[in-house]
Amino acid sequence: MGRSTYLAVEVSGAGRHPAAWLRPDAQPDALLTAPYHVGLARLAARAGADFLAVPDSLAPPSADPRLVPLRLDAVAIAARVAPVVPGVGLVPTVTVTHTEPFHVSKAIATLDLVSSGRAGWEPVVSRTAAEAELFGRKPAAPPAELWREAVEVVDVVVALWDSWEDDAVIRDVATGRYVDRDKLHYIDFSGEFFSVKGPSITPRSPQAHPLVVVRGDEPEALAVAAARADVVRVAAADLATAHTARERVRAAVAAAGRDPDAVAVLLDVEVLLGADAGSARRELDALDAHRELAPSSLRVVDTAATLVDVITDAVAGGAADGVTAVPLALPSGVRAIAADVAPRLADRGLRTPVAPGATLRDRFGLARPANRFEGARA
Amino acid sequence: MTATKQIHLAAHFPGVNNTTVWSDPESGSQTDFASFVHFAQTAERGLFDFLFLAEGLRLREHRGRIHDLDVVGRPDTLTVLNAIAAVTTHLGLGGTLNTTFNEPYELAKQLASLDHLSGGRAAWNLVTSSDAFTGENFRRGGFLAPEQRYDRAQEILDATRELWLSWAEDAVVADRERGVFVRDGAVPVVEHRGEQFSFSGRFSLPPTPQGHPVLIQSGDSDAGREFGARTADAIFSRHGTLEAGQAFYRDLKGRLPRYGRAERDVTILPATTFALGDTAEDAEEVADRVRRAQVSPQTAIAFLEQVWGRDLSAYDPDGPLPDVDPDPDGTSITRGRVRHEKDPAAVARQWRELAEAKGGLSIRELIIETTARQSFVGTPRQVAEQMDTYVQENACDGFILIPHLVPGGLDEFVEKVVPELQDRGSFRTEYTGPTLRHHLGLARPRA
Ligand SMILES: Cc1cc2nc3c(=O)[nH]c(=O)nc-3n(C[C@H](O)[C@H](O)[C@H](O)COP(=O)(O)O)c2cc1C
């Protein structure tokens, strides 16, 4: 059997479509409750998804009364579902432009701890003046600067994950020492944007390095993805464009001195599934009648079988290593993926079964990394 | 007859100082999630008001190196509390979060998320540590003068409250018929212009199940007490004896009228330790054993060095106190820890006298004598009686219990002391509401 086709599911609010909350099967009153998010995560786990992507942003909510202006902290959602939903990776989006790398590092390490090694994160930048205004510390910056800073954040976050060696806690009664401080390390990072001393206050986590997921669409972001990401997400209108995008990512990864086969490229696919193409189409038309949503990537408004064909073609044709399914409406969208898409993918032998207790790194064939500081003495 | 005052209990997860005994064979992982689950579920079985997590944002150092004698390391406060919310149903979830190394918009969103996702169980312990030492871990560094700590704390609190309460209570209508999710104008722009923060924008969440999270304060200076009297729902105090507790209680509650607040609006909870036994003698024996374990020979020397401000590693912990005097310039020998000793020379003099009066205590015996006495020692009935007395006689309104063991340090208390407190009629026999505000008897905050 060849490598598994990766499947991620992105869930946010009532779904990506701004009118999705109006559907009869939506749960607009439950969007801030834990059971709603646990339910979505359970469905993603039932679908055998490699991870659940939980978007986040500092972009201020719309004042339009017809839109859902709610946004919970994505790490909070991931941590809330982690202990009660086994068997799926958890990848919250984390904004890095106005936040503290030290806090981010221990938050994701802790998500890894409470999920027994299923954590990842997707760093994103905050580009607008409106986001900068929420902090009032610095003005909005151009993409090149934002992503240069984002690289520093990723580097600090990961270095802090290594600032504790795995066996730093020794509990040596004879010498009275709880830790071997030679196995705790200052990272002494000093960059263009900030400096961080370390070590982390949080020990090394089960995976050591939770997965780094980066969008590779923007040229400035692509460089970061190529140099730092374990998984790269791309958006593309069709499979031909996706193919080009994946080649671009692979070339950039190779240029960064890394093995392109070790970095999975996942194509975003917006989905609205129905019993037949016509009914799926009518459901989308009903949503678009309230407010139209232009596709942000390949969109499949059709049957589960068609979606499976598209995924099969995408992988066979080298357009992607897998997909991030983005339901336009929830919870119906993720329910359909669990009930109708996942079994068909399995039937085609596209999904390799995962050992119980597998970490998110295991799912992507990534070994637990060695510690850069091992052997170094403070 | 006045009604029996009801006791409030919180459970402090044993953490990074020497009260946590890691050398005991019963001591489990300090960071595995299973330890947090055990501890939190025990507190919930005991009908506690809330779980409490402390925080320190830089590993402590002693004589220029990371302090290695106590527990080191803990998970991220907010993330682990969100996870604990998944395995508990009523227990409040209190986290310590620094007011100096966080920004209001981000904190407001994170704490509101915890409160929404836990169904109204979040609490925030505002601490003001602002040293440059800790600041080295943050973008903004240790930029705050100590006298500005509470200005910033007050302003960050004002700003987060403006955000938390910015939406109308009935903002979300989710009316499919009319296609209206929020009432028009219900998501206003918050504009904050202050000394410490200047920001504007719309918040992304409505008032939480509790209105906003419960606020806890633990500073002890005059400015700290004033801040607590003005803003806090609960005070984590370190005044654990009957007399000191009563003095603090009178002082703090006496400050409330100035802010138009009533005594019942603020719950005072001192940090509290305990040792239990089947008989009073057993309990004393347990207390002694725990205190010895808390003060290893190496820890005794480290404590002494904190007062002396110099390297005392050549001294025998089982021998007499050093004959050299404290170094008047050596006070920063330990970093990342709040110091309460003000005059080292006076402390040294006092300790020498005490050691002599007690028939020549060794260094370790002296440190055990001066630092690690449990608040309550006795049989479960005796401890319940003493605790009840403290509350009925207004030394406090309840306790933040700090057991000495992870994860089982609360087990015996919940099994044996809680039923005694219930028999006395001064502790709940079931949770009567879903939110922490409800457990504490607090009103919903208003904008
Ligand atoms: C009982 C108690 C618990 C405290 N817990 C913490 C803590 O977990 N983390 C922290 O950074 N500071 C903690 N502090 C420190 C206070 O927030 C504050 O910085 C310190 O007491 C100095 O302020 P003050 O001068 O008003 O007392 C605690 C203080 C007290 C009295």
Side-chain angles (χ1 to χ4, degrees):
Chain A
M1 198 184 309
R3 194 165 80 167
S4 185
T5 295
Y6 297 114
L7 175 66
V9 183
E10 178 182 298
V11 297
S12 182
R16 182 174 277 185
H17 199 290
W21 71 270
L22 290 158
R23 286 167 57 99
D25 60 359
Q27 298 173 25
D29 295 320
L31 301 179
L32 297 177
T33 68
Y36 179 73
H37 295 278
V38 168
L40 296 179
R42 286 225 166 95
L43 289 167
R46 192 176 306 158
D50 293 303
F51 65 84
L52 183 76
V54 187
D56 202 350
S57 158
L58 286 169
S62 160
D64 184 335
R66 294 168 300 167
L67 299 179
V68 177
L70 310 176
R71 198 173 289 114
L72 291 163
D73 181 69
V75 178
I77 293 172
R80 176 61 183 79
V81 306
V84 286
V85 185
V88 64
L90 300 164
V91 180
T93 294
V94 179
T95 68
V96 299
T97 306
H98 300 291
T99 54
E100 287 286 355
F102 191 84
H103 290 319
V104 172
S105 180
K106 65 185 162 61
I108 302 302
T110 301
L111 179 62
D112 205 39
L113 194 70
V114 301
S115 66
S116 305
R118 293 180 288 130
W121 64 306
E122 184 181 325
V124 298
V125 298
S126 304
R127 37 187 104 238
T128 65
E131 287 155 284
E133 259 298 295
L134 294 175
F135 289 77
R137 294 285 166 209
K138 57 183 186 187
E145 184 177 327
L146 291 173
W147 283 104
R148 266 203 330 277
E149 184 183 34
V151 174
E152 291 195 356
V153 174
V154 173
D155 286 349
V156 165
V157 165
V158 177
L160 286 168
W161 288 339
D162 274 349
S163 67
W164 287 60
E165 294 184 34
D166 290 316
D167 53 356
V169 173
I170 51 171
R171 296 184 184 237
D172 185 39
V173 177
T175 58
R177 293 177 306 147
Y178 176 81
V179 287
D180 177 352
R181 57 187 166 197
D182 287 337
K183 296 188 171 185
L184 301 178
H185 302 277
Y186 299 106
I187 66 166
D188 281 321
F189 177 88
S190 183
E192 180 187 348
F193 298 92
F194 49 80
S195 59
V196 173
K197 179 79 182 171
S200 179
I201 59 164
T202 304
R204 209 158 185 251
S205 74
Q207 294 184 104
H209 295 182
L211 231 68
V212 180
V213 180
V214 181
R215 278 203 160 280
D217 300 322
E218 248 184 322
E220 293 84 356
L222 178 62
V224 180
R228 302 292 190 276
D230 299 305
V231 171
V232 178
R233 290 180 66 178
V234 296
D238 51 53
L239 292 188
T241 316
H243 191 275
T244 311
R246 177 166 177 264
E247 287 308 313
R248 193 163 53 229
V249 170
R250 291 175 63 85
V253 169
R258 304 170 67 209
D259 175 9
D261 289 334
V263 180
V265 179
L266 306 191
L267 171 66
D268 278 9
V269 183
E270 296 181 344
V271 297
L272 190 85
L273 303 177
D276 54 67
S279 67
R281 187 71 239 168
R282 281 191 296 279
E283 290 196 29
L284 179 61
D285 289 344
L287 295 180
D288 278 346
H290 292 282
R291 172 179 291 250
E292 219 165 308
L293 176 71
S296 334
S297 189
L298 179 64
R299 185 181 271 183
V300 175
V301 179
D302 209 310
T303 63
T306 302
L307 176 61
V308 170
D309 287 342
V310 169
I311 296 173
T312 308
D313 291 349
V315 174
D321 299 302
V323 298
T324 302
V326 185
L328 293 178
L330 291 169
S332 55
V334 65
R335 185 170 290 128
I337 291 166
D340 305 324
V341 177
R344 286 182 165 86
L345 285 172
D347 286 349
R348 294 204 186 169
L350 289 175
R351 299 278 296 149
T352 314
V354 174
T359 68
L360 185 53
R361 292 188 73 87
D362 290 340
R363 285 175 173 269
F364 283 86
L366 301 167
R368 192 169 186 277
N371 192 320
R372 75 189 67 190
F373 294 114
E374 212 157 294
R377 286 289 164 260
Chain B
M1 204 187 100
T2 53
T4 311
K5 251 175 91 182
Q6 291 298 296
I7 298 176
H8 296 280
L9 292 178
H12 184 304
F13 189 86
V16 304
N17 60 52
N18 77 300
T19 57
T20 309
V21 175
W22 53 259
S23 55
D24 192 298
E26 300 272 295
S27 164
S29 169
Q30 289 287 140
T31 44
D32 280 358
F33 186 53
S35 292
F36 287 87
V37 174
H38 179 106
F39 193 79
Q41 290 183 341
T42 305
E44 183 160 87
R45 200 164 60 244
L47 305 173
F48 278 44
D49 291 54
F50 61 96
L51 170 78
F52 183 92
L53 301 183
E55 179 191 71
L57 294 171
R58 171 114 187 232
L59 299 186
R60 291 153 40 191
E61 291 185 4
H62 185 71
R63 287 204 280 119
R65 301 196 61 193
I66 288 167
H67 184 58
D68 57 359
L69 304 179
D70 297 343
V71 166
V72 184
R74 49 180 137 211
D76 178 65
T77 301
L78 285 162
T79 309
V80 81
L81 287 178
N82 275 299
I84 293 169
V87 296
T88 52
T89 56
H90 287 76
L91 185 68
L93 304 164
T96 300
L97 296 165
N98 192 287
T99 55
T100 304
F101 304 111
N102 285 292
E103 297 290 332
Y105 191 91
E106 190 186 12
L107 265 188
K109 182 178 168 190
Q110 290 171 327
L111 280 161
S113 295
L114 175 64
D115 206 44
H116 279 294
L117 291 170
S118 65
R121 297 191 279 140
W124 174 20
N125 178 36
L126 294 91
V127 296
T128 59
S129 330
S130 63
D131 50 293
F133 174 72
T134 305
E136 285 179 354
N137 280 336
F138 296 94
R139 280 176 188 266
R140 296 189 52 207
F143 56 92
L144 200 60
E147 58 278 10
Q148 288 181 342
R149 287 179 308 137
Y150 284 105
D151 295 341
R152 180 167 164 117
Q154 185 65 56
E155 199 179 318
I156 199 170
L157 181 55
D158 291 344
T160 45
R161 285 174 54 110
E162 285 162 29
L163 292 164
W164 283 332
L165 302 178
S166 62
W167 294 27
E169 284 278 355
D170 56 354
V172 176
V173 290
D175 181 345
R176 286 189 179 89
E177 299 282 291
R178 293 189 300 132
V180 171
F181 191 84
V182 287
R183 284 194 302 105
D184 205 2
V187 185
V189 172
V190 175
E191 174 124 7
H192 180 96
R193 303 286 168 221
E195 289 283 315
Q196 300 285 338
F197 307 100
S198 187
F199 66 85
S200 69
R202 295 176 205 281
F203 196 47
S204 71
L205 291 165
T208 65
Q210 299 190 96
H212 66 65
V214 165
L215 304 169
I216 306 173
Q217 197 277 335
S218 49
D220 196 42
S221 58
D222 187 62
R225 291 181 185 198
E226 206 57 26
F227 176 63
R230 179 165 166 192
T231 57
D233 299 308
I235 306 276
F236 181 17
S237 102
R238 57 189 183 86
H239 302 285
T241 66
L242 188 64
E243 299 73 30
Q246 287 171 329
F248 178 75
Y249 194 94
R250 274 194 305 275
D251 177 273
L252 204 291
K253 300 245 174 177
R255 295 173 190 247
L256 295 175
R258 240 177 281 170
Y259 302 105
R261 307 183 73 200
E263 289 218 354
R264 54 164 300 155
D265 292 343
V266 179
T267 305
I268 295 180
L269 305 167
T272 300
T273 54
F274 58 90
L276 300 170
D278 291 339
T279 64
E281 298 72 47
D282 284 353
E284 285 298 339
E285 221 171 278
V286 171
D288 282 348
R289 188 163 45 73
V290 170
R291 289 164 73 194
R292 283 190 73 74
Q294 288 170 332
V295 184
S296 69
Q298 296 83 356
T299 296
I301 296 293
F303 262 95
L304 207 63
E305 287 175 337
Q306 279 175 28
V307 173
W308 258 252
R310 58 169 93 227
D311 178 358
L312 301 173
S313 54
Y315 285 82
D316 177 3
D318 295 320
L321 289 174
D323 34 24
V324 294
D325 283 324
D327 176 353
D329 304 322
T331 47
S332 62
I333 194 164
T334 301
R335 302 203 290 174
R337 170 182 176 275
V338 179
R339 288 182 59 87
H340 299 295
E341 310 89 14
K342 302 289 179 231
D343 178 358
V347 174
R349 210 159 40 239
Q350 219 181 327
W351 282 8
R352 286 201 180 107
E353 285 162 16
L354 180 65
E356 194 165 336
K358 294 254 171 176
L361 296 181
S362 70
I363 289 173
R364 186 176 177 204
E365 287 164 340
L366 185 275
I367 296 296
I368 290 171
E369 187 71 26
T370 53
T371 59
R373 175 75 193 166
Q374 290 88 348
S375 321
F376 300 110
V377 178
T379 65
R381 175 160 302 172
Q382 289 169 333
V383 166
E385 195 181 318
Q386 294 171 54
M387 290 177 72
D388 201 14
T389 301
Y390 271 54
V391 171
Q392 304 310 328
E393 298 192 0
N394 289 339
C396 57
D397 299 308
F399 306 89
I400 296 190
L401 295 180
I402 312 178
H404 70 276
L405 265 187
V406 168
L410 209 57
D411 297 4
E412 194 181 4
F413 186 95
V414 165
E415 222 170 278
K416 297 176 178 168
V417 182
V418 166
E420 296 282 351
L421 292 172
Q422 290 167 330
D423 284 350
R424 302 178 69 85
S426 37
F427 189 64
R428 65 173 68 91
T429 53
E430 60 184 350
Y431 287 115
T432 54
T435 69
L436 176 54
R437 233 168 242 291
H438 184 99
H439 306 335
L440 290 168
L442 297 168
R444 193 179 173 84
R446 292 175 189 290

